[in-house]
Amino acid sequence: MKQIITFIFILSLTQMVAQKDKDYILTSDFGYFYQYKDLADASYNATGLKNFGEKYNALTFNFSAGKKLRNHFYYGVGICYSYDHEEINPDSDTPKASGSSGYGTTIGFVNKNKIQNGISPLIFIQYFADVSNRIAFATDFYMKYTFNKTKTSSIYYQPGSGVGNYIKGNENTRLTKKQYISFGLQPMLRFNISKCVGMEFRFGLIEYAQKTKDDGEPVDRKTNGLEIGFKPENWLLGCYFRL
């Protein structure tokens, strides 16, 4: 009798796991983008002179959980985290001060750092279709709300006198908080490693975003924009688990 009850319990548990395999999906994606521009490729600043160098780092991490709605659809919730760091005139690209005696350099420069952190809860509906036994195509249709915090700091280095050096000025720092609502879609390719585990590649996005608050206050004229991007900075690589 105990063997029969044990068998029935194991069979029921197996059926539950098999049912979950068809119903739920957990997804985690990661993206990183780095770009450096030297003097020849750097942009112009507000004074009309070229920056000496520019660096840009961007990190993105997404996590979502979904439940199957129909044969080709999932719906669920998720959260996104983004980190962006832009630096203008970093230490490695500062202009060389004149070393000749009797006169000094006449060119000053500003070292500027802009760091953004964003957290975005989201909801989504996903359509997916199998291309082969191993490969599937999917698209997320999503809505997310972003809480963005930006810290901007700048230091002006004044030309020195005599042999030639730079005198560090005061650091000006500004912190701003903004909120955005976004609607978009994101296509991806999936590769099944096994029945329950696979990898996915998100290769672009189409997104409309509108600012809703600036430093916690509602705004009358809301900043908005449409982005259609399939460049490397929009790529995400991740994995998924069917539970």
Side-chain angles (χ1 to χ4, degrees):
M1 187 67 178
K2 290 176 63 176
Q3 289 82 357
I4 296 176
I5 295 175
T6 303
F7 175 76
I8 294 174
F9 174 75
I10 294 174
L11 181 62
S12 300
L13 183 62
T14 303
Q15 289 177 345
M16 288 175 63
V17 173
Q19 181 67 25
K20 286 185 178 180
D21 283 343
K22 298 178 181 180
D23 285 346
Y24 298 95
I25 188 169
L26 298 178
T27 305
S28 177
D29 297 287
F30 172 83
Y32 177 73
F33 178 74
Y34 171 79
Q35 185 180 64
Y36 168 75
K37 293 183 179 181
D38 60 11
L39 176 63
D41 295 323
S43 57
Y44 290 87
N45 57 37
T47 63
L49 299 175
K50 262 195 172 186
N51 294 321
F52 297 99
E54 299 171 354
K55 288 183 180 180
Y56 181 74
N57 291 272
L59 173 68
T60 303
F61 177 78
N62 299 332
F63 177 79
S64 63
K67 186 178 187 299
K68 184 172 285 188
L69 178 63
R70 293 182 180 178
N71 289 335
H72 295 282
F73 289 92
Y74 283 106
Y75 71 95
V77 297
I79 190 164
C80 304
Y81 171 76
S82 62
Y83 170 86
D84 298 79
H85 180 200
E86 181 182 12
E87 184 176 10
I88 297 175
N89 295 329
D91 292 340
S92 58
D93 295 311
T94 56
K96 303 301 180 182
S98 171
S100 302
S101 59
Y103 65 91
T105 183
T106 58
I107 301 176
F109 66 95
V110 176
N111 172 255
K112 183 177 180 180
N113 282 275
K114 183 179 180 181
I115 299 175
Q116 295 190 73
N117 290 276
I119 296 179
S120 309
L122 64 86
I123 58 175
F124 71 90
I125 294 178
Q126 181 183 108
Y127 169 80
F128 66 94
D130 293 330
V131 179
S132 67
N133 292 332
R134 290 283 185 179
I135 300 175
F137 173 80
T139 302
D140 274 356
F141 302 89
Y142 63 86
M143 179 183 72
K144 66 181 180 180
Y145 197 88
T146 302
F147 300 87
N148 180 274
K149 182 170 66 175
T150 303
K151 179 182 178 181
T152 306
S153 61
S154 59
I155 304 175
Y156 177 68
Y157 287 85
Q158 181 179 347
S161 59
V163 175
N165 57 9
Y166 292 98
I167 302 173
K168 181 179 179 180
N170 296 327
E171 181 176 4
N172 297 316
T173 303
R174 183 185 178 190
L175 182 66
T176 59
K177 296 180 180 180
K178 300 179 182 182
Q179 297 178 23
Y180 299 86
I181 188 170
S182 305
F183 304 87
L185 61 89
Q186 195 168 38
M188 71 192 83
L189 289 174
R190 284 190 171 139
F191 178 78
N192 298 323
I193 299 175
S194 68
K195 183 179 179 181
C196 300
V197 180
M199 298 185 66
E200 68 178 26
F201 173 57
R202 297 176 182 251
F203 54 87
L205 62 82
I206 300 175
E207 180 180 283
Y208 172 80
Q210 181 170 292
K211 184 171 68 173
T212 57
K213 288 187 178 181
D214 198 327
D215 284 329
E217 297 296 331
V219 289
D220 294 329
R221 293 190 175 183
K222 301 177 178 65
T223 300
N224 60 79
L226 175 66
E227 179 181 3
I228 302 176
F230 297 90
K231 295 181 179 180
E233 53 262 42
N234 300 120
W235 294 354
L236 296 172
L237 183 65
C239 59
Y240 64 88
F241 305 90
R242 293 193 178 101
L243 304 176

